[in-house]
Amino acid sequence: MIIERNITSKPLAKVAEILSKSEKLNLIDWNAMNISTVDAENKPSSRMVLLKKINDQGLVFYTNFKSKKGQDLKNNSSIAVNFWWRELKEQIRIEGSVIELTDQES
């Protein structure tokens, strides 16, 4: 996973700080995050994914665009994210929207 060191956005810098700490402590699934989406019928759905990159533009994770998660995000770009690090007694919630990266960025 890539944690950029020059993050200036305070909320994202805090996430990066805790991620760095949890990585150094070699915590299990230290970059795991729960994401929640809403389908076309406004039914929420939640699942775990791995964070691949964090920078000032936001959080990057991979998904299959044909999966339920991919289809939910295609129809409604709103997302909720939750990180929880049991050993650190830390939790961070994030709400926002997603954008699809270009093939080059992927």
Side-chain angles (χ1 to χ4, degrees), residues 23-93:
E23 180 184 26
K24 287 177 187 164
L25 292 171
N26 201 28
L27 300 183
I28 296 172
D29 295 328
W30 60 272
N31 62 329
M33 60 185 198
N34 178 277
I35 64 168
S36 297
T37 59
V38 177
D39 68 14
E41 297 175 2
N42 289 325
K43 293 180 183 173
S45 182
S46 187
R47 76 287 278 154
M48 300 300 293
V49 298
L50 296 177
L51 179 68
K52 298 298 183 183
K53 181 179 180 179
I54 181 171
N55 59 28
D56 263 331
Q57 285 69 51
L59 310 172
V60 175
F61 64 94
Y62 300 144
T63 188
N64 177 341
F65 296 120
K66 294 179 182 178
S67 69
K68 178 176 180 354
K69 171 181 41 184
Q71 292 301 302
D72 287 352
L73 292 170
K74 180 180 177 182
N75 294 322
N76 182 342
S77 65
S78 295
I79 192 169
V81 175
N82 183 274
F83 288 95
W84 178 52
W85 300 276
R86 175 194 315 246
E87 298 86 349
L88 302 178
K89 296 180 175 66
E90 294 271 6
Q91 173 176 251
I92 293 178
R93 291 179 54 242

Side-chain angles (χ1 to χ4, degrees), residues 4-6 15 17 21 44-45 61 63 73 82 85 94 102:
E4 292 190 5
R5 303 291 177 210
N6 58 348
V15 175
E17 174 188 326
K21 184 189 326 181
S45 182
F61 64 94
T63 188
L73 292 170
N82 183 274
W85 300 276
I94 301 169
T102 65

